[in-house]
Amino acid sequence: MSENERLELAELLFPNIKKTREDYEKMYPKRDLPEGAMVTRYGPSPTGSVHLGNLYSAFCDMVYARQSNGVFFLRIEDTDSKREVEGGKENITSVLKGFEITPNEGYSFGGNYGSYVQSERTEIYQTFVKELIVSGDAYPCFMSEEEIAAIREEQEINKIQIGIYGMYAQDRDLSLDEIKKHLDNGDPYVIRLKSKGDPKKEVEIDDLIKGKLKFAERNLDDVLLKKDGTPTYHLAHVVDDHFMRTTHVIRDDSWVSSIPLHIELFNLLGFELPRYAHIAPITIKDSETGAIRKLSKRKDPWAGAKYYEESGIPLDALHLYLATITNTNFEEWYLNNSDKEITDFKFSFDKMAVGGTSFDQAKLMNICKTYFSRKSGEEVYNETLEFAKRFDTEYAKLLEDNKDMMIKFFSIEKDGDRPRKDIAKYSDVKEEFSYAIDSMFEKENYSKLESDKTYDLDLIKEYIENVNLDVTNEEWFNSIKEFSVAHGYAGSPKDYKKDPDNYKGHVGDVCEALRVVITGRTKSPDLFSIMKILGKDKINKRISLYEKHINKN
Ligand code: GLU
């Protein structure tokens, strides 16, 4: 086709496209950012719920942009309308906001490089496809799906490269007249790249995570525009990341095999290639097969972002966990700098996992417990209340009605070098402190006890009758020791061990009896603190409850 014919064809195919490259270059100027600033983007498709892998990749976008004084934006990649779910876009935004992985600009965040929704950008994609028609680098292809399927089958049988290329690219060299005939007939068509790649040659990129990657050039005539005129991922990626001035494309490594096509498109369109950082998936050891596999929304409850919200994993703890999977040296740094913020750490691509990042639930839980252990009783109260208001209004009401008392409970064993590490999630609080509120304790009763061992109720009654709760911890402990000794128990486990036949038990057994009667469990935070907060009246009520409980059995 001559140049004039290609111009005519371009007009025929895109009569409404009037803007040019210059218009867009003006509309989306280079960003005025300091040297080294990274422009990153999170480009989710609104095709389902957000999972941990999405949060991880958006987290990377955020930290790299933030630490380089750059820009992190959100682009909705909704070119596959068939797979789009209702409310998908809104859900993505609300998850990002909820998890405080907040873009500086993008869909629903504003900015000058929009629209940030690909389905609203058809005109810009078509402008560049029109250019490629004029330059002879793209062509309309009228092949039917059946024809393409037959070609694929033949290629599979012959074990050769699958795709439309060489002799299979039937419409690559149609004349203008032939094309016109098809158009007059109303035959549907896609626009394909007229690839000039030579598989005998190699292309190379220096991936920021994976290092140097080499590929054979591609000679496939990939689809750029679908039958409905919307772009494929590849074209949209290249056009958008150029005009949104992305400097670093951080994305899932499932896109690695598309790199040669993307390089070809960047080159053909005369756009500068961004830096690529392909992140490895989050993996897990399958509990049944023992094999390492990708985290799965279906099999692993903690794969979905919802889990973190609904079970009440504190945001800061999740951010810390994401930081530990982002950089292999983060954890050690944080151990030595626990008073610092994540933002004080310098993330680097060369400290990112190349193969896969394994999900470590125990580590996540430990981070969460450390988080709670560092919070004051009042902070635990306020944050748990916020959580309960969203997910458990009944408990929220109880918390509000018992505010002062609950703050006291949450403050037990917070002082000292090793604060208690009992809570991992906001949803644990209700369960962990169920003995604190009378109405909850009455319901739960002694159901948490694993053994049906019973304790000497008379001893407990006598103890409570005489106990003075208005003393220091030390005084209290001395007094319970004295009480124990006076009632035939050893004053310490050591004394007991020396001569077990001489004692009914030791002071620890007396404490256990008290603890069980008062809290309904054999383990609890500091018993004296609990007794002080509850006071004698409530304790006496529990003694009656326990009496009923043992008489029932
Ligand atoms: N829309 C693509 C996806 O959800 C994003 C790929 C990219 O970040 O470039 O997989």
Side-chain angles (χ1 to χ4, degrees), residues 323-542:
T324 64
I325 57 177
T326 299
N327 264 196
T328 45
N329 55 336
F330 177 83
E331 203 177 349
E332 202 189 323
W333 175 84
Y334 192 64
L335 222 58
N336 300 319
N337 295 278
S338 52
D339 52 330
K340 297 228 169 86
E341 302 289 326
I342 293 178
T343 38
D344 294 322
F345 179 78
K346 185 114 178 86
F347 288 91
S348 58
F349 288 106
D350 60 357
K351 292 284 188 303
M352 291 186 73
V354 177
T357 314
S358 64
F359 178 78
D360 186 340
Q361 200 195 359
K363 189 181 281 175
L364 171 63
M365 289 299 116
N366 194 34
I367 292 174
C368 292
K369 285 184 175 172
T370 307
Y371 169 87
F372 277 103
S373 73
R374 289 186 182 149
K375 292 277 151 181
S376 70
E378 189 157 1
E379 285 167 322
V380 173
Y381 174 84
N382 289 333
E383 292 176 22
T384 307
L385 179 61
E386 280 317 301
F387 172 79
K389 279 182 180 167
R390 293 181 60 205
F391 297 105
D392 188 349
T393 48
E394 207 178 302
Y395 189 53
K397 172 93 179 49
L398 286 173
L399 284 173
E400 280 172 328
D401 292 348
N402 295 283
K403 178 171 177 181
D404 293 344
M405 183 184 75
M406 292 312 286
I407 291 177
K408 283 187 199 154
F409 273 112
F410 298 153
S411 305
I412 299 177
E413 287 179 65
K414 283 286 183 192
D415 314 326
D417 301 341
R418 300 186 60 214
R420 248 186 108 73
K421 274 186 160 190
D422 42 4
I423 304 292
K425 320 188 261 331
Y426 295 117
S427 61
D428 292 348
V429 173
K430 182 180 182 179
E431 183 71 16
E432 204 64 42
F433 287 90
S434 57
Y435 59 82
I437 297 174
D438 277 347
S439 60
M440 286 179 71
F441 184 70
E442 277 158 26
K443 245 189 247 162
E444 170 182 305
N445 221 293
Y446 293 92
S447 60
K448 277 201 155 66
L449 291 176
E450 278 164 16
S451 88
D452 40 18
K453 172 174 173 190
T454 53
Y455 297 89
D456 183 348
L457 199 59
D458 289 337
L459 185 82
I460 303 296
K461 278 186 184 166
E462 188 187 333
Y463 175 76
I464 295 297
E465 216 166 283
N466 297 305
V467 71
N468 178 7
L469 294 175
D470 207 9
V471 293
T472 64
N473 230 314
E474 206 185 320
E475 286 165 343
W476 172 75
F477 194 64
N478 286 334
S479 75
I480 198 165
K481 248 174 149 171
E482 275 170 29
F483 177 86
S484 304
V485 172
H487 288 78
Y489 289 80
S492 72
K494 220 165 135 195
D495 290 349
Y496 174 73
K497 262 194 206 144
K498 269 194 240 153
D499 192 4
D501 295 338
N502 211 11
Y503 299 106
K504 293 186 202 163
H506 59 79
V507 60
D509 298 312
V510 178
C511 288
E512 182 180 308
L514 268 172
R515 194 185 303 277
V516 165
V517 172
I518 296 173
T519 67
R521 49 192 95 190
T522 49
K523 285 196 185 80
S524 79
D526 180 55
L527 180 62
F528 179 53
S529 307
I530 296 177
M531 285 168 47
K532 259 167 72 156
I533 300 168
L534 289 174
K536 276 201 189 182
D537 286 352
K538 287 190 181 187
I539 295 175
N540 279 323
K541 269 208 235 157
R542 295 189 182 192

Side-chain angles (χ1 to χ4, degrees), residues 41-47 54 57 61 75-79 83 118 233 237 241 249-252 254-255 262 276 278:
R41 85 296 189 271
Y42 171 47
S45 300
T47 50
N54 300 131
S57 103
D61 289 318
R75 178 171 70 223
I76 301 291
E77 307 210 331
D78 57 347
T79 53
R83 291 183 51 225
Q118 288 184 331
Y233 167 77
H237 152 49
D241 282 320
V249 171
I250 303 171
R251 64 181 178 188
D252 190 291
S254 58
W255 293 107
H262 298 163
Y276 283 104
H278 285 93

Side-chain angles (χ1 to χ4, degrees), residues 104-117:
N104 308 96
E105 63 180 61
Y107 169 70
S108 87
F109 292 93
N112 296 328
Y113 289 80
S115 162
Y116 295 93
V117 179

Side-chain angles (χ1 to χ4, degrees), residues 178-428:
E178 284 169 315
I179 293 174
K180 278 183 180 167
K181 236 180 259 160
H182 274 301
L183 294 177
D184 288 345
N185 270 345
D187 295 339
Y189 63 90
V190 299
I191 304 283
R192 285 186 187 275
L193 168 70
K194 196 180 260 190
S195 177
K196 301 201 176 59
D198 175 357
K200 286 192 215 81
K201 289 192 193 146
E202 274 185 338
V203 271
E204 186 181 293
I205 68 150
D206 195 4
D207 188 272
L208 286 160
I209 299 171
K210 298 194 185 286
K212 283 206 186 337
L213 299 173
K214 276 189 185 167
F215 308 87
E217 277 187 13
R218 211 166 148 107
N219 64 340
L220 304 180
D221 286 2
D222 289 286
V223 175
L224 301 178
L225 280 187
K226 296 181 256 184
K227 283 187 188 137
D228 60 2
T230 61
T232 52
Y233 167 77
H234 312 292
L235 176 73
H237 152 49
V238 172
V239 171
D240 287 348
D241 282 320
H242 174 70
F243 284 106
M244 295 178 178
R245 308 296 176 180
T246 308
T247 62
H248 289 70
V249 171
I250 303 171
R251 64 181 178 188
D252 190 291
D253 67 3
S254 58
W255 293 107
V256 164
S257 60
S258 302
I259 293 174
L261 168 61
H262 298 163
I263 294 179
E264 191 174 1
L265 286 173
F266 271 103
N267 288 343
L268 272 179
L269 290 168
F271 299 153
E272 200 183 317
L273 200 69
R275 292 303 306 266
Y276 283 104
H278 285 93
I279 43 184
I282 301 179
T283 55
I284 192 166
K285 194 170 180 186
D286 191 287
S287 55
E288 275 169 31
T289 64
I292 303 290
R293 58 163 173 79
K294 274 193 194 184
L295 211 57
S296 133
K297 272 200 266 191
R298 201 168 44 82
K299 292 188 185 155
D300 313 312
W302 40 84
K306 258 201 156 32
Y307 169 82
Y308 297 84
E309 208 185 349
E310 290 173 358
S311 68
I313 301 273
L315 258 190
D316 286 3
L318 178 64
H319 280 211
L320 281 176
Y321 183 66
L322 289 173
T324 64
I325 57 177
T326 299
N327 264 196
T328 45
N329 55 336
F330 177 83
E331 203 177 349
E332 202 189 323
W333 175 84
Y334 192 64
L335 222 58
N336 300 319
N337 295 278
S338 52
D339 52 330
K340 297 228 169 86
E341 302 289 326
I342 293 178
T343 38
D344 294 322
F345 179 78
K346 185 114 178 86
F347 288 91
S348 58
F349 288 106
D350 60 357
K351 292 284 188 303
M352 291 186 73
V354 177
T357 314
S358 64
F359 178 78
D360 186 340
Q361 200 195 359
K363 189 181 281 175
L364 171 63
M365 289 299 116
N366 194 34
I367 292 174
C368 292
K369 285 184 175 172
T370 307
Y371 169 87
F372 277 103
S373 73
R374 289 186 182 149
K375 292 277 151 181
S376 70
E378 189 157 1
E379 285 167 322
V380 173
Y381 174 84
N382 289 333
E383 292 176 22
T384 307
L385 179 61
E386 280 317 301
F387 172 79
K389 279 182 180 167
R390 293 181 60 205
F391 297 105
D392 188 349
T393 48
E394 207 178 302
Y395 189 53
K397 172 93 179 49
L398 286 173
L399 284 173
E400 280 172 328
D401 292 348
N402 295 283
K403 178 171 177 181
D404 293 344
M405 183 184 75
M406 292 312 286
I407 291 177
K408 283 187 199 154
F409 273 112
F410 298 153
S411 305
I412 299 177
E413 287 179 65
K414 283 286 183 192
D415 314 326
D417 301 341
R418 300 186 60 214
R420 248 186 108 73
K421 274 186 160 190
D422 42 4
I423 304 292
K425 320 188 261 331
Y426 295 117
S427 61
D428 292 348

Side-chain angles (χ1 to χ4, degrees), residues 63-80:
V63 294
Y64 286 114
R66 188 168 61 189
Q67 75 182 21
S68 64
N69 296 314
V71 175
F72 157 42
F73 68 86
L74 166 66
R75 178 171 70 223
I76 301 291
E77 307 210 331
D78 57 347
T79 53
D80 191 350

